[in-house]
Amino acid sequence: MTQPASPARPVTEKSPPSDGERSPLKSLAARADLRTLSLLGVLAALVVVGGVTQPDAFLDTDNVQLILTQASVIGVVTVGMTFVIISGGIDLSVGAIVALASVWATTVATQEYGFAGILFTAVVVGLGCGLVNGLLIAYGGVVPFIATLAMLASGRGLALEITDGKTQMVTVDGVLRLGERDSYVLGVPPLVLVFAAVTAVGWLLLNRTTFGRRSVAVGGNAEAARLAGIDVRRQRLYLYLLSGLCCGIAAFLLIVLSGSGQNTNGNLYELDAIAATIIGGTLLSGGRGTVTGSVLGVLIFTTITNIFALNNLETAVQQIAKGAIIVAAVLVQRRTSTT
């Protein structure tokens, strides 16, 4: 007696995922690409505005080199700030650290050690300040806003004490030559090359290493990151060390650019770096951001400032415009983060 054949199981084709079922990572990447394209569009529009309002001055090779050179110093600071904000933190002391590192590296005693002495001192001072911030925040339990605000005040005060309010001129030929046209590589200033190198390293750290993934995880949900095995406190310490390192490098670039060290160096750098980071799409609450977007934010702000200067607009107007741009960027962020 034969058994009845069991009905064949229907073969169903797996339908492609709908937009609502799309992978969160793919959706995030798509939004990041859209933001990058939008920033490139804004930058292109600014180039058109500058070319129309001041065609001879704005499109001149010297002016383009000036824009890139000015963007390099604050750009290096912004790369470090991007990592801090992605992790859910904030660093209000970057400008003061740049000032302190620049004046400490240009004292007469430091300049006796030449090029290497100035570079080494600037980087070590930046790292030292970042270490203090990191220890206070990660292991001391101090709120980042308060810890870095205290560093801002202390750094500015110490820089003023070292200089006694005077400008410290650089006399080391190797440092001064870096700012001259003879040192340009294929028409590109050395400061721009350093900025490009820092940007490339920052992009690799964020997108191709566990350090970057841990930074994003800490910013997204610190408790979940801790339960996943990430040492959150140590990661935060590393992030503020990275921010301090970027400030030290920026201080050296500023020394090359100005040929001096002043206690007023880095004034409002913290606001410019935070603004550029926000413009670039990094969430102030942490958990999302790109180095590419932050760099584009720096270029946008620097280009706007250059256009304003070429058109002889008052500084007050420039500050009002920057404030309006920051508010608009935050509003756009809130809208896109809820969609």
Side-chain angles (χ1 to χ4, degrees):
M1 190 170 179
T2 60
Q3 296 288 337
S6 59
R9 293 182 180 177
V11 179
T12 59
E13 267 186 31
K14 189 175 181 181
S15 59
S18 63
D19 291 340
E21 297 171 344
R22 188 175 297 174
S23 167
L25 290 178
K26 291 183 179 179
S27 299
L28 182 61
R31 288 200 300 270
D33 291 340
L34 181 59
R35 284 194 300 271
T36 301
L37 291 175
S38 300
L39 292 171
L40 287 172
V42 172
L43 186 59
L46 289 173
V47 172
V48 172
V49 171
V52 170
T53 57
Q54 295 289 336
D56 296 330
F58 181 78
L59 298 177
D60 186 71
T61 302
D62 291 339
N63 188 60
V64 174
Q65 291 173 339
L66 175 63
I67 292 173
L68 294 176
T69 301
Q70 291 176 338
S72 297
V73 180
I74 186 62
V76 171
V77 175
T78 302
V79 171
M81 182 69 79
T82 301
F83 279 87
V84 171
I85 295 181
I86 283 176
S87 70
I90 196 72
D91 192 347
L92 301 178
S93 64
V94 291
I97 295 175
V98 169
L100 180 59
S102 67
V103 300
W104 207 322
T106 54
T107 60
V108 174
T110 303
Q111 292 193 52
E112 290 180 357
Y113 294 94
F115 182 99
I118 293 176
L119 175 60
F120 177 79
T121 302
V123 170
V124 168
V125 171
L127 282 171
C129 293
L131 177 63
V132 173
N133 280 337
L135 289 175
L136 287 174
I137 294 166
Y139 294 95
V142 182
V143 177
F145 183 91
I146 300 300
T148 57
L149 184 62
M151 177 60 71
L152 183 156
S154 302
R156 286 290 178 191
L158 186 54
L160 180 60
E161 179 69 22
I162 292 174
T163 61
D164 195 23
K166 301 175 182 177
T167 300
Q168 299 177 162
M169 303 305 298
V170 177
T171 59
V172 179
D173 291 337
V175 175
L176 296 175
R177 278 199 298 269
L178 279 179
E180 298 175 354
R181 188 171 295 276
D182 293 340
S183 299
Y184 288 12
V185 180
L186 299 177
V188 181
L191 276 67
V192 179
L193 296 176
V194 174
F195 176 34
V198 171
T199 300
V201 172
W203 187 90
L204 289 172
L205 273 178
L206 184 60
N207 298 284
R208 294 292 183 267
T209 66
T210 55
F211 179 86
R213 289 191 289 272
R214 288 171 181 169
S215 301
V216 174
V218 169
N221 189 322
E223 181 61 21
R226 186 188 67 81
L227 294 175
I230 297 175
D231 191 331
V232 175
R233 294 190 299 178
R234 185 172 62 186
Q235 185 68 20
R236 284 176 173 159
L237 173 62
Y238 289 162
L239 287 164
Y240 282 95
L241 277 172
L242 177 60
S243 180
L245 173 62
C246 289
C247 289
I249 296 173
F252 179 76
L253 297 183
L254 193 56
I255 292 170
V256 172
L257 185 62
S258 63
S260 64
Q262 304 177 54
N263 65 287
T264 56
N265 282 344
N267 188 33
L268 296 181
Y269 272 21
E270 55 278 354
L271 299 183
D272 288 343
I274 292 171
T277 303
I278 296 171
I279 293 294
T282 300
L283 287 179
L284 273 174
S285 56
R288 192 188 78 189
T290 65
V291 172
T292 303
S294 296
V295 169
L296 289 174
V298 170
L299 293 175
I300 288 172
F301 260 117
T302 308
T303 304
I304 290 174
T305 302
N306 183 263
I307 293 174
F308 285 168
L310 290 177
N311 287 278
N312 297 319
L313 293 181
E314 297 179 358
T315 303
V317 177
Q318 299 182 30
Q319 298 299 332
I320 293 171
K322 284 185 178 181
I325 292 171
I326 295 171
V327 172
V330 172
L331 291 175
V332 171
Q333 253 193 25
R334 290 187 63 182
R335 184 178 180 85
T336 55
S337 62
T338 56
T339 57

